Structures are given as C-alpha cells and as structure tokens.
Amino acid sequence: MASGSSPAQRFVLFQALYRASQSGENNWDQVVALLSKGQRTAQRAQLDELAEQFASGQRIVLDELREGGMFTSWELQFMQLGLAVGNLAKIYLRLAEHYRLQSEFRRSVRRHLWAPVLVIVICALGLPLLLLSRDLATMPQAITLAIAGLLPLGVAYGMLLVAQYSSGFRRRCLAVAYRLPALGSALAQYQSYHYMNHLADCISADFSLPQALKQSARRLPDAPVNNRYFKLASDVESGERFSSALLRSGILNGVVMPPASEMRDAKQVPALLGLAIHRSCEEQLVFWAGWLPWLLLGLLPYIVVLNALFLGR
C-alpha cells in the first residue's frame, strides 16, 4: 500500500479509476493499452523489433507511474496483466474488491477489539490497585507495575503504526504470519484467489495454458507460497495434466469445489474456482476478524506473573 493511504482510500481510488476507464477520461491507460495492442499485433506478425519498441513504450509509461508513487509495485503488476489481456477495467475492480475486503477486515477487528483490550486494561490496573489498597505496594510501585503490565499492549499498537507506514516491516510481519499454522493457510488461500483470477483472465484472452500459468504466477504480490504457482506452471509445461497438477499443488486445499456440471467448459473452470476461493476467503475473513483480537488475552498470564513476582520479592 502507498505510504499513508488506508485500504478505504485505495478502494475509492480504484473505483474512481474504473469509472474513468469506462467514461474514456483515463488517458494514460488508453495510451498503454494501445501500446500493448501494438505489441501483440507485432508479435503475431513476427516483427520482433517493432514489438520491442511497443514494449519499451509501455515500460516508459509504467516506470513514470511507479516513480510517481501513486501505485505500489504489485498493483502495477496487476495492471500490467490487465493491459496484456486487454481488460484493465476488470483489474481496477479486482483491486477495489481487494481493498474493500481489507477495509472491512480492519473495521471488524476494531469492532471486536474493545472487549479483550478492556479485560487487559482492567487486569493491568486492577492488580496493582489491589496491592496498593492492601498496603502491599507503594504508589510508585503500583504505577510501575501498571505501566509494565500495559507495556506489551503499547508495543503491539506501536508495531501496527509502524506497519502502516513501513512496507519493509509489513512484509516481515506478513512472512511471520504465513508461518503460523491456521492463519498461514488462510493467507495462502487468499493468494490463490488472486492467482485463479489472473489465470481466468489469461485463458479468456486466448493465452496458451503454459503461458497463462507463467503470467499468472509472475503477477502476484510477493509471498512465501508463490513457488507453488511457478511449480504448477513447470509441471504442466513438463507434460503433466493441469487438473492433476492443480490438485497436487495444494492450491485448492480447504475450498468447496463447484459442482462438476458447472465445470464442463474448460475456459470457465479458473473463473469458477476463483469464485469458490473468494467465498472461502470471505468466511475466513469473518472468522479471523472475530478471533484475532482475543489472542490479546495471552497477555493475562504475563500480568499475573508480573504482579506475583513483585509479591515474591
């Protein structure tokens, strides 16, 4: 995410870009779309030098956008895929949906956060006050115990603020989250949602299957699980059936598959799988938004032990 911009602001941005693309007001993406179309035409005609000139023109425009700081590198990768398949407007909608889900997740977490935070604050302040009321601690000692009890809560809040403005710190936190058993699976599933949507777009644009698999893997946000998508492309290119390689990859783990009757058209399969993964991701979002805040109650033993150690002294 661009520094200082919230998911809600990014949602509004991509919604506005979609409306502009539909009304013909978004001039820069029309320029790049024409360059992309020229590149594809030159490649079909085997005019490699001309195709490279068109590609260079696209890179110049996209580099200017990157240096302008309005878009993140992974957003630009999504947009490059949209240009390659000739449907940038759909990418705008997908990015808007991504930030809608992220904004909704944050609101839900904040809504569920007050109760565990209240419990922590009551315990962190209540135990030192209890010791003070029974003359087991002086006022300065009670204040010190209260501050020490609330310190981890303050550190957690500070880390959230740093993550909001530091993309490097955010990436490191995300890498740790991917290693957590259940949460990591939910994050990997959301990455697969992006992948399936990319694959559906490439197949609809008549890319060959190996090319579609490679392009879909290349245009994903950085994540520890991205190797599975490149391996899938490699396995299919080596001659393995797409269906068997996909099932073996683990990309569809935990996804309720659509009925077989709906998947008779091979071109529609990635889009249908993308919808199935999206439904599963929304369920995961509701679950984790409700339960993550309660993990703060893990601070209660720390607060109790802190006060017990003081008594032991």
Side-chain angles (χ1 to χ4, degrees):
M1 193 187 314
S3 178
S5 62
S6 68
Q9 290 170 325
R10 305 303 287 174
F11 168 74
V12 171
L13 168 66
F14 286 107
Q15 281 280 64
L17 285 173
Y18 171 74
R19 288 194 294 269
S21 70
Q22 297 302 100
S23 63
E25 297 171 3
N26 204 11
N27 295 323
W28 74 263
D29 66 17
Q30 292 179 25
V31 171
V32 181
L34 288 171
L35 290 168
S36 178
K37 184 177 180 181
Q39 181 188 6
R40 293 196 302 272
T41 303
Q43 286 173 338
R44 283 195 295 268
Q46 296 183 342
L47 300 173
D48 295 338
E49 186 176 345
L50 181 61
E52 178 57 31
Q53 290 175 1
F54 278 119
S56 297
Q58 293 177 70
R59 283 194 293 270
I60 290 171
V61 177
L62 290 168
D63 285 346
E64 287 295 322
L65 291 171
R66 185 178 290 107
E67 291 174 8
M70 179 178 288
F71 302 109
T72 64
S73 59
W74 76 267
E75 289 170 352
L76 285 171
Q77 287 189 21
F78 273 47
M79 291 155 66
Q80 283 178 298
L81 183 74
L83 291 167
V85 301
N87 197 346
L88 185 57
K90 190 174 181 181
I91 296 296
Y92 289 151
L93 283 179
R94 191 179 304 154
L95 287 168
E97 171 66 5
H98 165 77
Y99 286 114
R100 182 194 71 80
L101 288 173
Q102 197 175 108
S103 180
E104 186 178 308
F105 178 75
R106 287 191 177 191
R107 282 198 303 271
S108 185
V109 167
R110 283 195 293 267
R111 190 168 62 250
H112 290 92
L113 195 60
W114 69 269
V117 167
L118 184 61
V119 171
I120 294 296
V121 170
I122 289 174
C123 289
L125 299 179
L127 289 176
L129 285 175
L130 181 64
L131 296 177
L132 181 64
S133 66
R134 298 189 176 184
D135 295 327
L136 296 173
T138 63
M139 178 62 75
Q141 289 172 333
I143 292 174
T144 301
L145 281 172
I147 292 174
L150 292 172
L151 184 62
L153 203 61
V155 170
Y157 180 70
M159 290 174 66
L160 286 175
L161 290 179
V162 172
Q164 185 175 349
Y165 294 97
S166 171
S167 58
F169 182 73
R170 193 161 56 244
R171 281 195 299 271
R172 285 192 288 273
C173 290
L174 195 59
V176 172
Y178 266 102
R179 294 190 181 97
L180 300 178
L183 183 58
S185 298
L187 291 171
Q189 193 173 79
Y190 190 65
Q191 189 81 335
S192 295
Y193 160 67
H194 287 314
Y195 175 76
M196 277 299 166
N197 280 326
H198 284 356
L199 188 58
D201 289 341
C202 291
I203 295 295
S204 298
D206 293 325
F207 283 32
S208 67
L209 182 58
Q211 185 183 15
L213 292 169
K214 286 180 183 177
Q215 286 297 322
S216 300
R218 286 177 57 201
R219 303 302 178 188
L220 290 172
D222 288 336
V225 296
N226 281 2
N227 283 339
R228 67 167 61 172
Y229 308 113
F230 287 105
K231 186 177 186 306
L232 175 61
S234 176
D235 290 343
V236 171
E237 194 171 25
S238 300
E240 187 174 353
R241 286 172 59 89
F242 171 65
S243 56
S244 61
L246 179 63
L247 290 172
R248 189 167 51 80
S249 68
I251 291 172
L252 300 179
N253 287 350
V255 177
V256 178
M257 301 287 285
S261 58
E262 295 181 8
M263 297 195 292
R264 290 174 182 170
D265 185 354
K267 282 193 171 184
Q268 294 299 318
V269 169
L272 291 170
L273 291 175
L275 286 172
I277 296 174
H278 183 270
R279 285 192 293 269
S280 180
C281 288
E282 287 197 313
E283 292 171 2
Q284 291 284 340
L285 181 147
V286 172
F287 173 80
W288 285 107
W291 281 101
L292 274 177
W294 291 99
L295 295 179
L296 287 174
L297 295 185
L299 294 176
L300 288 177
Y302 160 77
I303 295 171
V304 172
V305 169
L306 182 71
N307 285 269
L309 286 174
F310 172 77
L311 280 176
R313 291 174 58 189

